[in-house]
Amino acid sequence: MILALLPIALAAELSLHIDTKTLVVGQSVPVKVAVINGGSFGVPVLPVGKGLLAQFQGQSSQHVIVNFESTRITEYNFQLAATAEGRWSLGPVDLVVDGKRLHAPAVTIDVGAPPIDQGGEPVVATISDETPVLGQVVVYRFQFQYDKPLVNARWTRPEFPGFIPEVNAEPVQREYQLMQDGVATTIQTIEVPLVAAGTGVQTIQPAQLTAQFRAKNRRRRRSVDDLFGNSPFGLRGSTETRTLSTQPVSVSIGALPILGQPARYSGLVGQFKAKLRASTTQVKLGDSVTLEYILVGDGTLAGFKLPPPAETAGFRVYDDAPEIRTQLLDGRFRSQLTVRRAVVPEREGILVVPPIVVSTYDTEAEQYVVVSTGAVELTVVPGEEGGGVVSSYGQIQGDSREAVAAIDQDILPVIAPGGVRDRTLKGATVILSSAVALPGMVWGLLTMFGWLRSRRPAPLAVLKARLADLPSAPDQRLASLESIFRGTVAELLGVAVHGLNGQQVEGLSSEAASLYADFERARYGGGAVADLEARVNGFVRGAR
Amino acid sequence: MIALFMLMIGCGTAGDSSFHEGLSAIRSGDATVALAGFQQSLAEGGRDGAVYHGLGNALYRLGHHGEAAAAWRRGLALSPRNGDIAANLDFVRKRFKDKLEPPSTHRSAFFWQSFLSPLEGAILAATAIAFGLWMAVWGRLRVLRGLNGLGANAVLLAVASVVIGCVLALAALDTVAQRAGGVVTVAEVEVRSALGPSGLSLFVLHEGAEVRIEDQSQTHILLSLSDGRKGWVNGSALRTTNPAHPFVFTER
């Protein structure tokens, strides 16, 4: 605590400290009034509520030096005892320090019921109401009391037939100490909020607790553990384990009465109060005002929905998601629901937002009751230009949508496309097949053409074959020989026949050049032609 | 040429005037006339997602929710990205008694089946295969002209294009096969273990139950449910969800 006070220890200050703000009747805790960096005379007065008792125990002072700065703390110690259930205030404290009046604000203390008398039993299980009705919240309470040093305790949660967990609340575990018959006793409690969900007699089986207590040391040789006193080293071999069990708890869950059940029963069971408040009482047309609806009670609020206003109410509403808070203390379950509702007025003038009425079942009165808020009156003033004006698109031509009742409540209309056509695969099979088949066919034809071309006989072989079938007339025979020779040369040179000239032929061989020259001369009636056929025959047959 | 083919698929209209007659009628609140208009549009070949959407809306307005669901299933098969049809189908499913899991729209391997219609998938497939084949034609022409054939990259592109096209075509055909479903259109029907009255009654389906058609005879259909149950029902109790099938509805 001293370290916590250091950051604020720059000027004289007064503060009130208590370790816990939740007590039970009979419990007492220390309270400190601390004066930091200041001096005062006399003991401060600590005012307490009717259910609390404060007794001055003494005072102490100390100096702390941090970062070369000295801080002086004077503490006035009180012992606070809780004497009655309820919510009580502790403080405020006013004290004159160094001629200046300082103030420590009050603290609210919740005092719960004293622990259940266990009648000598170390563990006991109870339920807050043994005859609840369907939907009512009850609190299952497991209590463990011991006055020996405890090392470890593990609780086994029983099944809760006929109940479901309250979804917005968690089980609460608490531990505190009481003086009973002059003995310091520790109380551990575990409270589980449950919602009655099945009618008839239901039995909650015993809850079990496995506890390890520290056993008294017997005379034995001193070990190294003893040097460490109460350190964990000293625990080995000196604990006693006990399994403790409660009695079963029997609960009779009744049904809600059918007779007198309102038509618009909200499903809430318990005692509730509601209030409605507006963020402002004047609003411009087109703007919204936020109403805050708060529902407080001791029943579950899971699944509760705020009733909508009538359609002719003259305003529209938009609800936020409800905010639910719960509190579980000493067997008492409290829940609070807050809903912020935006109200948008639809006309100018005085707008009365009617009370919000919720029908509930009161478990104390055992009848259905109506929980109602007050009405809220709003003044709706003219809005800014254009504000709050709702445009209608109903008269616009060309709206391609058919009218629908409301989104989420009706089917969606057809948006007219540019044109309808057969969009099935079956309808496009011919066109798509053609799109693939055409290049396939072209490719196939080209492949076949190439293959056929590759099957043509070799040109040299054709020329050689022509040598065996020369015409008999001399002129024709000579012309045919020249054609065969030129064709052979062109094939060997890889050029066209018609473009062949002497220069190209000279590059092939001297024999070819000689034959070429002899054919040129023979064409004009000169040169030796007698052995020309034999020479061509030899040249062509030798061509590769 | 590919573009020309695509143009041929995209430009033609069928049953357009009947569709707009149906649309006008349903906007004016006359669902009976709208129903006739949409059915006429289908008969004229207008098997379009919008026509089935309108047909489903008209049937819904007339209170035939099972038939409407079948029409919307068909519309969604043709226009899988149409959120309005999907919303309508989802809306009407909440009203049905049998809470069956809706059929899957795609296989995990063919993830694009959920947003591509079979026709769109087939167009992409045809485009990819045709592209690959035209590249092969080009390469063949080069060889015939005595030039070098396609390079390695071009060959790879052509082969990849054809392979992708084949996968897309397979997925498109699979979509059609996978959507061989039906919707129960009668208030209640017994599903039996064998054809006809000789079979034992296995379970009962109610209007709107969406099933998969496994097999069919001239009069009966072997159906299976998403939870694995199978059985035979009379074919007249079901409306198939294949958009290529005729949709002949007569008021009973």
Side-chain angles (χ1 to χ4, degrees):
Chain A
M1 190 181 73
I2 293 168
L3 292 174
L5 294 171
L6 290 177
I8 56 170
L10 299 174
E13 292 204 16
L14 181 68
S15 59
L16 179 64
H17 297 279
I18 182 167
D19 289 341
T20 177
K21 293 176 183 175
T22 53
L23 303 174
V24 296
V25 174
Q27 187 181 356
S28 61
V29 290
V31 176
K32 291 179 180 177
V33 177
V35 178
I36 304 151
N37 281 341
S40 63
F41 296 100
V43 177
V45 177
L46 180 60
V48 293
K50 285 182 182 176
L52 299 173
L53 189 64
Q55 192 173 14
F56 181 65
Q57 302 281 306
Q59 73 179 75
S60 61
S61 297
Q62 56 188 310
H63 274 88
V64 180
I65 297 174
V66 175
N67 291 339
F68 309 105
E69 286 193 21
S70 170
T71 301
R72 185 160 63 94
I73 302 169
T74 305
E75 289 180 340
Y76 299 93
N77 301 311
F78 294 83
Q79 192 70 16
L80 183 73
T83 57
E85 290 180 56
R87 176 168 283 193
W88 314 108
S89 69
L90 172 68
V93 179
D94 291 297
L95 190 65
V96 177
V97 179
D98 296 337
K100 189 179 178 183
R101 178 174 288 275
L102 297 182
H103 176 81
V107 177
T108 303
I109 306 292
D110 281 312
V111 178
I116 301 158
D117 182 9
Q118 298 188 206
E121 293 290 333
V123 289
V124 66
T126 57
I127 199 148
S128 59
D129 189 343
E130 292 178 350
T131 55
V133 291
L134 216 57
Q136 184 179 341
V137 173
V138 296
V139 178
Y140 175 86
R141 181 184 173 108
F142 173 84
Q143 185 172 298
F144 171 42
Q145 180 177 317
Y146 58 93
D147 56 6
K148 292 191 290 186
L150 182 71
V151 177
N152 185 27
R154 193 172 66 247
W155 180 63
T156 306
R157 177 188 171 121
E159 293 293 321
F160 299 108
F163 293 94
I164 56 171
E166 211 291 327
V167 292
N168 296 305
E170 294 288 329
V172 173
Q173 187 164 2
R174 199 169 162 218
E175 180 177 327
Y176 53 88
Q177 285 191 325
L178 286 176
M179 291 299 288
Q180 291 187 340
D181 301 329
V183 178
T185 304
T186 304
I187 314 286
Q188 277 191 5
T189 60
I190 298 169
E191 291 177 335
V192 184
L194 301 165
V195 181
T199 56
V201 176
Q202 311 284 353
T203 303
I204 301 172
Q205 293 304 311
Q208 288 193 327
L209 182 107
T210 306
Q212 275 185 305
F213 296 98
R214 186 175 301 160
K216 287 181 180 175
N217 289 337
R218 286 171 292 185
R219 290 180 66 85
R220 56 182 172 82
R221 287 180 62 190
R222 284 173 65 85
S223 70
V224 69
D225 291 340
D226 296 331
L227 301 175
F228 295 92
N230 290 327
S231 77
F233 297 100
L235 299 178
R236 186 165 58 87
S238 61
T239 58
E240 177 192 358
T241 302
R242 287 185 64 192
T243 300
L244 307 168
S245 185
T246 67
Q247 294 294 318
V249 178
S250 187
V251 186
S252 176
I253 302 173
L256 286 169
I258 302 294
L259 197 65
Q261 188 176 80
R264 294 191 175 182
Y265 169 53
S266 65
L268 296 182
V269 178
Q271 288 184 301
F272 294 92
K273 286 179 183 175
K275 64 179 175 182
L276 185 67
R277 60 187 178 206
S279 59
T280 178
T281 55
Q282 184 168 308
V283 59
K284 288 178 183 174
L285 186 65
D287 287 353
S288 67
V289 60
T290 301
L291 299 186
E292 193 175 59
Y293 175 79
I294 299 172
L295 181 64
V296 181
D298 59 4
T300 181
L301 292 166
F304 173 73
K305 283 186 178 175
L306 205 56
E311 288 184 6
T312 55
F315 58 89
R316 287 169 284 140
V317 298
Y318 303 93
D319 290 345
D320 282 355
E323 183 184 316
I324 297 176
R325 287 189 297 170
T326 59
Q327 186 189 29
L328 186 59
L329 182 66
D330 295 324
R332 290 172 299 166
F333 175 80
R334 303 291 297 167
S335 57
Q336 176 178 315
L337 172 137
T338 306
V339 178
R340 286 173 187 83
R341 167 172 275 183
V343 173
V344 183
E346 292 177 331
R347 53 179 173 264
E348 295 172 18
I350 301 297
L351 172 66
V352 178
V353 178
I356 295 175
V357 177
V358 175
S359 175
T360 67
Y361 181 77
D362 189 325
T363 49
E364 290 294 317
E366 296 186 346
Q367 62 180 7
Y368 293 97
V369 297
V370 168
V371 178
S372 178
T373 64
V376 172
E377 190 175 288
L378 301 173
T379 305
V380 185
V381 297
E384 293 173 4
E385 190 176 354
V389 177
V390 179
S391 301
S392 170
Y393 299 95
Q395 301 304 316
I396 296 175
Q397 296 295 318
D399 180 11
S400 61
R401 287 177 174 261
E402 64 194 72
V404 293
I407 297 296
D408 287 346
Q409 292 177 1
D410 201 3
I411 55 173
L412 297 174
V414 184
I415 299 171
V420 295
R421 61 188 70 90
D422 190 352
R423 293 185 189 274
T424 59
L425 189 55
K426 194 177 173 182
T429 308
V430 175
I431 294 175
L432 291 173
S433 303
S434 304
V436 174
L438 183 68
M441 281 171 60
V442 172
W443 182 81
L445 287 172
L446 290 175
T447 306
M448 189 176 286
F449 175 69
W451 178 72
L452 287 174
R453 201 171 73 165
S454 70
R455 281 176 61 86
R456 282 191 310 168
L460 286 174
V462 173
L463 292 168
K464 286 171 186 173
R466 282 176 64 190
L467 284 174
D469 192 22
L470 291 171
S472 53
D475 292 347
Q476 289 178 4
R477 196 175 184 90
L478 185 64
S480 187
L481 273 174
E482 186 182 0
S483 168
I484 291 168
F485 168 73
R486 292 175 73 88
T488 305
V489 171
E491 189 67 27
L492 291 173
L493 289 172
V495 297
V497 176
H498 58 269
L500 201 64
N501 56 43
Q503 200 175 358
Q504 288 174 317
V505 179
E506 278 174 11
L508 187 63
S509 68
S510 57
E511 173 61 14
S514 168
L515 279 169
Y516 186 81
D518 286 347
F519 272 117
E520 287 289 314
R521 281 193 290 272
R523 191 180 297 165
Y524 300 105
V529 295
D531 62 340
L532 205 55
E533 183 173 340
R535 285 167 60 201
V536 168
N537 214 332
F539 176 77
V540 172
R541 290 195 188 283
R544 293 281 183 277
Chain B
M1 192 168 282
I2 294 170
L4 181 67
F5 278 121
M6 299 307 122
L7 210 62
M8 286 170 72
I9 294 171
C11 281
T13 58
D16 205 34
S17 60
S18 301
F19 168 72
H20 280 98
E21 283 171 18
L23 205 56
S24 303
I26 201 163
R27 282 177 183 160
S28 61
D30 193 341
T32 308
V33 174
L35 177 65
F38 292 131
Q39 282 193 292
Q40 181 62 29
S41 178
L42 287 176
E44 291 167 3
R47 287 176 293 223
D48 193 293
V51 178
Y52 277 119
H53 186 176
L55 181 67
N57 285 15
L59 287 165
Y60 178 84
R61 294 275 183 246
L62 292 170
H64 303 288
H65 294 173
E67 295 278 8
W72 286 328
R73 280 281 304 271
R74 289 186 179 201
L76 208 55
L78 296 177
S79 309
R81 298 184 300 280
N82 190 322
D84 289 357
I85 302 179
N88 285 356
L89 194 56
D90 190 50
F91 177 77
V92 80
R93 274 174 181 154
K94 291 172 185 164
R95 295 172 171 242
F96 294 144
K97 193 170 182 180
D98 296 325
K99 301 299 178 194
L100 298 171
E101 190 181 338
S104 170
T105 55
H106 65 283
R107 292 181 197 275
S108 53
F110 298 148
F111 59 90
W112 58 89
Q113 286 177 329
S114 62
F115 56 85
L116 281 184
S117 71
L119 179 62
E120 291 165 337
I123 289 172
L124 286 176
T127 307
I129 295 172
F131 176 74
L133 289 176
W134 282 119
M135 284 195 73
V137 167
W138 182 44
R140 180 59 62 186
L141 281 172
R142 284 177 60 88
V143 170
L144 288 175
R145 288 174 62 192
L147 302 171
N148 289 331
L150 296 177
N153 288 341
V155 170
L156 195 65
L157 179 64
V159 171
S161 182
V162 171
V163 170
I164 289 171
C166 288
V167 172
L168 287 169
L170 195 67
L173 294 173
D174 178 67
T175 310
V176 175
Q178 196 183 4
R179 286 174 181 167
V183 179
V184 175
T185 54
V186 296
E188 190 175 289
V189 62
E190 273 191 345
V191 183
R192 307 182 79 85
S193 61
L195 284 171
S198 60
L200 294 172
S201 178
L202 297 174
F203 51 92
V204 174
L205 288 177
H206 300 88
E207 185 180 20
E210 292 173 66
V211 301
R212 184 180 164 82
I213 295 173
E214 299 285 345
D215 194 7
Q216 58 188 98
S217 69
Q218 283 189 337
T219 56
H220 284 72
I221 287 174
L222 174 65
L223 59 83
S224 67
L225 304 184
S226 52
D227 57 11
R229 288 181 290 171
K230 281 186 177 181
W232 291 90
V233 292
N234 194 304
S236 61
L238 285 183
R239 173 77 66 188
T240 72
T241 56
N242 187 342
H245 285 187
F247 198 111
V248 182
F249 173 79
T250 48
E251 193 83 41
R252 283 188 279 261

